[in-house]
Amino acid sequence: MSGAALGIEIIFVFFLALFILHRYGDFKKQHRLVIIATLLAWYLCFLIVFILPLDVSTTIYNRCKLAVNSSPPESSSNNVNGSYPTSAPRKHKCFIPWSYIPDGIMPIFWRVVYWTSQFLTWILLPFMQSYARSGGFSITGKIKTALIENAIYYGTYLLIFGAFLIYVAVNPNFNLQWNQLQTIGIAAANTWGLFLLVLLLGYGLVEIPRSHWNGAKRGYLLMKTYFKVAKLMTEKADAEENLEDIMEEVRKVNESIKYNHPLRKCVDTILKKCPTEYQERMGRNMDDYEDFDDRQNNYPSEKSLVKLHKQVIYSVQRHRRTQVQWRILLEQAFYLEDVAKNETSATRQFVHTFQFQEPENRITRYFYTPTVEWYWECLLRPWFYRILAIVLATFSVIVVWSECTFFSTKPVLSLFAVFIQLAERTYNYIYIEMACFLTIFFLSICVYSTVFRIRVFNYYYLASHHQTDAYSLLFSGMLFCRLTPPLCLNFLGLTHMDSSISHKNTQATAYTSIMGSMRVLSFIADGFYIYYPMLVVILCIATYFSLGTRCLNLLGFQQFMGDNEMTSDFIDEGKELIRREKRKRQRQEEGENRRREWKERYGNSREDSTRNRNVHPDQKESSFSDTDASRPMSKYTRSNGRTERDRIELLQDAEPLDFNADSVSDDPLDHPLDSGRYQPGGRYLSMSRSRIFDDV
């Protein structure tokens, strides 16, 4: 099994990163370089998390082997010649772990992974971000824009690195060497990453268990979905209005720049990025062969076209994302309402209001029957979420305690260090790897899930169902590459596998050896790395009392809060929107069912009549003279019958336009927020039913 575990995990992590990226990115529409760069960044970060437990178990085995080789054999009283007996017992007995990695492989592996991730996060990905957002029409123009935008970015980091360099140069106790310069760069990167890591970790340690606990409450998810529907409706309307404004500017540019203008190629490029309906509406303006006049100054410049191109890309992406999210959120709201209705079902079979638009898998349909779905959604899932929330909360308490006490070595107060040391005494490598994997996996979930949840206005937003833009994908890769190294160092400190924390003269892990000795910067190694993680306690308390959410509400960014009046208004608004969409969906399904029944009922008779006319052509010819006189009357009657049939069908498919919203009471839950909060009023009386068919 030498190296086999490493190879298996390398392959497994690659497909895991590919699967997650496929959920958020769009492989068909986005540029291949963006997909490859983001996949590489995510893959390297996930790989560090999965491989580090193998490094820990290999290091423990190497320590055991070193202790055996350094301990002298026991002396024997019968030894006359001064030689040691060959069968002398040893103090330790080391077992090779199943996932043992031979010497020399891990240092090279960590060096390649670490420096590749650092090159991505500090050089390549920022440049690709600016390149992806650029509205240039040529590769040279996009590269020029990216270099200009990143000049300040790179200058800031050079200034920080120069400050560290000056500190070390002024200190007479240090002699500048290449290894020390390398350590200074690593320390600067890890300091920035640790600063952000503690902020994200403090939020995830509280929010993840709380979200699972609230998910088990009846009606909580439905109320939150109503709130999301109301917010998304506002964003959707804003995106549509923004797209209309941008398309109006594109139309004006398309009409002003003729076919033989030098900038016509730029306009054609912009038109290709517009939605299809707008392209058909505007056309390509190829019918006008009027030559443009150079003396006119009302033509847009190339810089304005570059800016317009950038706005078109952004507005189209945002409009498409809101449309997809709206459909997904509607399906989620309909399903949660079905869950609320089926909780009181006596038949214990889950009944859906609407059928799934996508066909279900046969295997899923065979095993996940309506009865199984009812037991899971209405009975088992709430208890499962409660148990999972308790387990996650326990892990969070252990992490917070260990973050505040991991610097104490005598006695050892960090619970993760206690678990690892107990397993190290018996050399139970399976237990060591499982304990290390669960610890670092939980820390990664708390940090990475926060990265997936946060949203910086409309510039950074990881939207599922292939709706994430290139800028957000690249930015997430940057964050992962900056957060993962300090996350791993923090994990090694919690387990006392870092010699700078444990203060033991033992063999360090291969990952720690790549980082170098942080003693070059003592105020960071003995100060910032030790005491800054304690701030996670304050952040957890702030997250528990939702201080950040309350601050955002005060600033005008509406957040879901159960005890807030504005939240109640959003819930009522979202509930009314779901009612309207549900009635619209029901009318559509009823119309489709009527058309299907009409086709099944009268389709066969029409086919039989057509077949009879084709089978007896001679009879028609023989009776031609007899029916010649009555043909006008029959023609008129047939036309009148067709008109009458069309009128009947139109009457059957007509949607009720006059309804009162107050008379509809299809609420799945009776929530306290419903009483006296929102009174939908008004009738849709823009058209009178008695005058609809006057022109038919």
Side-chain angles (χ1 to χ4, degrees), residues 389-399:
I390 294 174
V391 173
L392 294 175
T394 305
F395 267 95
S396 298
V397 172
I398 295 175
V399 169

Side-chain angles (χ1 to χ4, degrees), residues 355-483:
Q355 297 295 330
F356 291 103
Q357 296 182 357
E358 297 180 358
E360 297 183 8
N361 191 2
R362 292 183 178 180
I363 300 177
T364 305
R365 186 168 48 190
Y366 179 77
F367 290 100
Y368 199 60
T369 60
T371 304
V372 175
E373 186 176 3
W374 186 91
Y375 275 99
W376 167 250
E377 292 292 343
C378 302
L379 188 63
L380 298 178
R381 190 181 65 85
W383 287 103
F384 174 77
Y385 271 47
R386 292 189 184 97
I387 296 173
L388 183 60
I390 294 174
V391 173
L392 294 175
T394 305
F395 267 95
S396 298
V397 172
I398 295 175
V399 169
V400 173
W401 171 261
S402 300
E403 290 285 357
C404 298
T405 59
F406 73 93
F407 59 88
S408 177
T409 56
K410 292 183 181 179
V412 178
L413 298 179
S414 176
L415 297 180
F416 294 116
V418 172
F419 297 154
I420 298 300
Q421 291 179 4
L422 289 176
E424 186 177 358
R425 294 176 184 176
T426 58
Y427 299 100
N428 190 348
Y429 297 107
I430 300 294
Y431 177 80
I432 292 173
E433 293 177 3
M434 290 300 299
C436 291
F437 176 76
L438 291 178
T439 303
I440 194 173
F441 183 74
F442 180 73
L443 294 174
S444 302
I445 290 296
C446 293
V447 175
Y448 293 162
S449 64
T450 308
V451 174
F452 281 98
R453 287 185 180 186
I454 60 176
R455 177 177 181 177
V456 183
F457 299 103
N458 288 316
Y459 294 98
Y460 171 74
Y461 180 37
L462 289 177
S464 58
H465 299 86
H466 322 291
Q467 298 304 314
T468 307
D469 57 350
Y471 182 87
S472 299
L473 288 177
L474 295 172
F475 190 76
S476 66
M478 290 172 51
L479 288 179
F480 285 160
C481 291
R482 296 180 188 182
L483 292 171

Side-chain angles (χ1 to χ4, degrees), residues 106-375:
M106 291 306 300
I108 298 175
F109 175 81
W110 288 130
R111 189 175 289 109
V112 172
V113 170
Y114 177 77
W115 289 111
T116 303
S117 63
Q118 295 305 301
F119 173 77
L120 289 174
T121 187
W122 299 106
I123 298 178
L124 184 60
L125 292 182
F127 178 81
M128 293 186 65
Q129 268 189 305
S130 302
Y131 185 89
R133 291 192 62 188
S134 175
F137 299 100
S138 62
I139 298 177
T140 306
K142 291 184 177 181
I143 292 176
K144 182 180 178 180
T145 304
L147 290 176
I148 294 175
E149 291 183 358
N150 285 274
I152 302 176
Y153 179 83
Y154 295 133
T156 303
Y157 293 121
L158 288 177
L159 182 62
I160 297 175
F161 180 76
F164 280 105
L165 191 63
I166 293 173
Y167 169 78
V168 177
V170 172
N171 197 333
N173 297 326
F174 299 124
N175 295 323
L176 289 179
Q177 297 178 359
W178 170 249
N179 293 333
Q180 293 178 344
L181 291 177
Q182 178 180 338
T183 304
I184 292 173
I186 294 174
N190 290 336
T191 302
W192 190 96
L194 185 62
F195 177 79
L196 184 60
L197 174 69
V198 174
L199 298 178
L200 300 180
L201 184 63
Y203 176 83
L205 288 174
V206 177
E207 189 61 29
I208 291 179
R210 182 166 58 184
S211 62
H212 286 81
W213 181 265
N214 291 333
K217 297 180 181 179
R218 292 188 176 184
Y220 176 84
L221 291 179
L222 185 57
M223 294 298 108
K224 192 171 183 179
T225 304
Y226 287 150
F227 180 84
K228 291 180 179 180
V229 167
K231 287 192 64 177
L232 186 60
M233 186 62 184
T234 305
E235 183 181 356
K236 177 172 169 288
D238 187 26
E240 293 175 353
E241 183 179 357
N242 185 26
L243 182 63
E244 289 288 344
D245 295 338
I246 298 298
M247 291 299 105
E248 181 64 22
E249 295 182 8
V250 173
R251 184 190 63 80
K252 294 179 180 179
V253 171
N254 183 43
E255 292 178 354
S256 63
I257 296 181
K258 308 303 178 181
Y259 76 100
N260 53 357
H261 196 279
L263 297 178
R264 184 61 200 182
K265 294 182 179 179
C266 300
V267 177
D268 293 340
T269 303
I270 295 176
L271 290 176
K272 291 179 181 178
K273 303 296 178 61
C274 298
T276 306
E277 58 271 17
Y278 290 98
Q279 294 182 19
E280 296 175 353
R281 189 183 306 173
M282 291 182 291
R284 299 181 59 87
N285 197 20
M286 297 300 294
D287 297 334
D288 191 356
Y289 291 95
E290 180 183 356
D291 295 336
F292 71 95
D293 189 2
D294 293 334
R295 292 174 297 179
Q296 296 180 359
N297 298 324
N298 56 353
Y299 293 108
S301 61
E302 186 176 359
K303 291 184 178 180
S304 62
L305 291 180
V306 169
K307 182 179 179 180
L308 181 61
H309 187 204
K310 183 177 180 179
Q311 292 176 349
V312 167
I313 295 174
Y314 169 74
S315 60
V316 171
Q317 172 66 27
R318 183 187 177 193
H319 179 263
R320 185 185 301 114
R321 186 188 70 228
T322 53
Q323 294 293 332
V324 174
Q325 288 178 338
W326 176 256
R327 292 194 296 268
I328 296 172
L329 197 58
L330 288 181
E331 295 294 335
Q332 182 181 357
F334 293 156
Y335 187 76
L336 290 176
E337 288 184 347
D338 291 341
V339 172
K341 291 179 180 179
N342 283 274
E343 286 180 351
T344 58
S345 176
T347 59
R348 296 190 176 185
Q349 288 189 352
F350 200 91
V351 180
H352 294 272
T353 304
F354 303 107
Q355 297 295 330
F356 291 103
Q357 296 182 357
E358 297 180 358
E360 297 183 8
N361 191 2
R362 292 183 178 180
I363 300 177
T364 305
R365 186 168 48 190
Y366 179 77
F367 290 100
Y368 199 60
T369 60
T371 304
V372 175
E373 186 176 3
W374 186 91
Y375 275 99

Side-chain angles (χ1 to χ4, degrees), residues 128 172 415 561 586 621 623 666 694:
M128 293 186 65
L415 297 180
M561 297 180 62
Q586 289 175 349
E621 293 178 358
S623 61
D666 53 351
D694 290 349

Side-chain angles (χ1 to χ4, degrees), residues 565 568-569 572 671-680:
E565 183 178 356
S568 302
D569 294 339
D572 293 335
H671 197 269
L673 297 175
D674 297 341
S675 58
R677 296 296 312 156
Y678 184 83
Q679 296 295 333

